[in-house]
């Protein structure tokens, strides 16, 4: 294994213009030569595309790929963008957050351990203007490690997560799932080790129009979503050399 792991940052956008510039600026200085940034603008929205294209033009030294998403919602947009990622480590990125310095360095260091299939970090929950509401997502959410804990109550939010490409390869196409990040996190547990780092690497912006919600869903929806996840996990086998008991 190379001592210098390459990274694909996968950013899915949809009506992200109010926040996209700040997110892209927070990413730019963390990318190394050989890394790539994939920006999938869902539905071909011109304003998102214009921002992405201006950013790419202003950073000719970075490897940036701008794609037109399938226009089928956040899960399918991420599914499409992830299918285009080519690097060893794949980092999920939402359009409305802001990265703190050292986020990608955390992943570069942590994934040197070969059996680590996914890594997560803590985040500050912020309002639309990035004023801190809760200093720790882990504490606010009651985050717990473990496959069964995260099947029952998910703590693996994509904006704070990265996985090895093997996890994505073993998980596409998704089929019917409630959200991509929980599914990929559970797949990572099936394949090896998942690390929850205590480091806070993100301002997690909550502005009322987020694709994901921190509020509890109805019991009926929770049961339905977990049945979908279990069905997807049963449909997707994992490489035998990575499989492990929990």
């Amino acid at each position: 294994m190379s001592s210098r792991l390459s990274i694909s940052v996968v950013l899915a956008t949809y009506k992200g213009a109010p926040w996209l510039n700040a997110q892209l600026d927070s990413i730019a200085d963390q990318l190394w030569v050989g890394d790539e940034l994939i920006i999938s603008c869902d539905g071909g929205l011109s304003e998102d595309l214009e921002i992405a294209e201006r950013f790419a033009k202003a950073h000719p030294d970075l490897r940036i790929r701008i794609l037109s998403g399938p226009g089928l919602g956040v899960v399918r947009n991420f599914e499409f963008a992830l299918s285009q990622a080519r690097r060893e480590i794949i980092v999920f990125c939402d359009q409305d957050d802001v990265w703190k310095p050292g986020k990608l360095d955390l992943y570069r260091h942590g994934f040197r351990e070969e059996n680590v299939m996914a890594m997560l970090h803590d985040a500050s929950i912020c309002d639309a203007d990035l004023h801190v509401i809760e200093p720790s997502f882990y504490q606010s959410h009651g985050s717990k490690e473990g496959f069964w804990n995260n099947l029952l109550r998910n703590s693996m939010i994509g904006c704070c997560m990265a996985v090895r490409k093997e996890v994505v390869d073993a998980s596409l196409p998704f089929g019917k799932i409630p959200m991509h990040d929980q599914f990929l996190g559970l797949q990572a547990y099936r394949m090896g080790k998942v690390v929850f780092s205590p480091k806070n690497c993100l301002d997690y912006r909550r502005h009322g129009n987020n694709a994901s919600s921190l509020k509890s869903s109805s019991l009926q929806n929770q049961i339905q979503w977990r049945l979908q996840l279990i069905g997807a996990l049963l449909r997707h086998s994992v490489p035998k050399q990575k499989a492990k008991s929990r």
Side-chain angles (χ1 to χ4, degrees):
M1 177 179 293
S2 170
S3 60
R4 182 165 175 168
L5 298 171
S6 60
I7 287 175
S8 294
V9 176
V10 174
L11 170 56
T13 76
Y14 179 74
K15 296 183 178 180
W19 315 284
L20 191 52
N21 281 308
Q23 176 63 297
L24 290 170
D25 287 344
S26 73
I27 295 170
D29 290 341
Q30 300 197 40
L31 294 170
W32 288 1
V33 174
D35 296 338
E36 66 176 1
L37 170 61
I38 298 171
I39 307 172
S40 182
C41 300
D42 211 15
L45 292 166
S46 60
E47 198 168 4
D48 288 359
L49 281 170
E50 288 170 5
I51 292 170
E53 288 168 355
R54 284 199 304 271
F55 178 80
K57 187 175 181 180
H59 296 84
D61 55 320
L62 300 181
R63 188 185 300 266
I64 301 171
R65 296 162 58 198
I66 302 171
L67 310 173
S68 181
L72 298 172
V74 61
V75 174
R76 298 306 161 205
N77 196 15
F78 265 108
E79 180 181 43
F80 168 68
L82 289 166
S83 73
Q84 305 301 307
R86 298 291 180 262
R87 301 299 183 255
E88 298 165 273
I89 306 303
I90 299 178
V91 178
F92 308 100
C93 185
D94 291 346
Q95 64 191 12
D96 37 18
D97 302 319
V98 174
W99 287 10
K100 296 180 181 180
K103 177 180 168 82
L104 292 188
D105 286 342
L106 177 73
Y107 293 142
R108 289 187 182 101
H109 177 76
F111 278 103
R112 289 177 182 173
E113 184 179 341
E114 187 172 358
N115 198 41
V116 173
M117 292 290 112
M119 282 193 70
L120 296 103
H121 59 72
D122 204 356
S124 301
I125 302 175
C126 303
D127 66 13
D129 298 315
L130 296 180
H131 299 129
V132 175
I133 302 169
E134 296 285 349
S136 169
F137 171 80
Y138 283 174
Q139 292 183 10
S140 174
H141 187 70
S143 297
K144 294 181 180 179
E145 300 184 40
F147 177 92
W148 296 109
N149 285 330
N150 282 283
L151 176 62
L152 295 173
R153 188 168 190 268
N154 184 44
S155 295
M156 298 181 292
I157 55 172
C159 59
C160 296
M161 185 166 73
V163 300
R164 289 194 187 275
K165 189 176 186 298
E166 296 100 299
V167 176
V168 172
D169 291 342
S171 304
L172 293 177
F174 289 157
K176 190 172 184 179
I177 56 173
M179 193 56 72
H180 61 284
D181 43 12
Q182 184 178 14
F183 173 55
L184 288 163
L186 294 173
Q187 282 283 80
Y189 267 116
R190 298 176 72 198
M191 296 175 67
K193 184 177 179 181
V194 176
V195 174
F196 279 66
S197 169
K199 188 171 181 180
N200 186 322
C201 295
L202 184 85
D203 285 332
Y204 183 28
R205 195 195 309 253
R206 311 303 298 175
H207 48 72
N209 293 315
N210 300 79
S212 61
S213 174
L214 295 179
K215 297 180 180 179
S216 297
S217 302
S218 68
L219 179 60
Q220 181 179 357
N221 282 340
Q222 291 182 42
I223 292 172
Q224 179 182 2
W225 292 341
R226 277 146 189 81
L227 289 174
Q228 290 176 1
L229 281 168
I230 291 168
L233 291 167
L234 291 173
R235 289 192 300 272
H236 290 79
S237 60
V238 298
K240 290 182 179 180
Q241 68 271 20
K242 295 293 184 182
K244 62 184 278 293
S245 60
R246 291 179 292 278

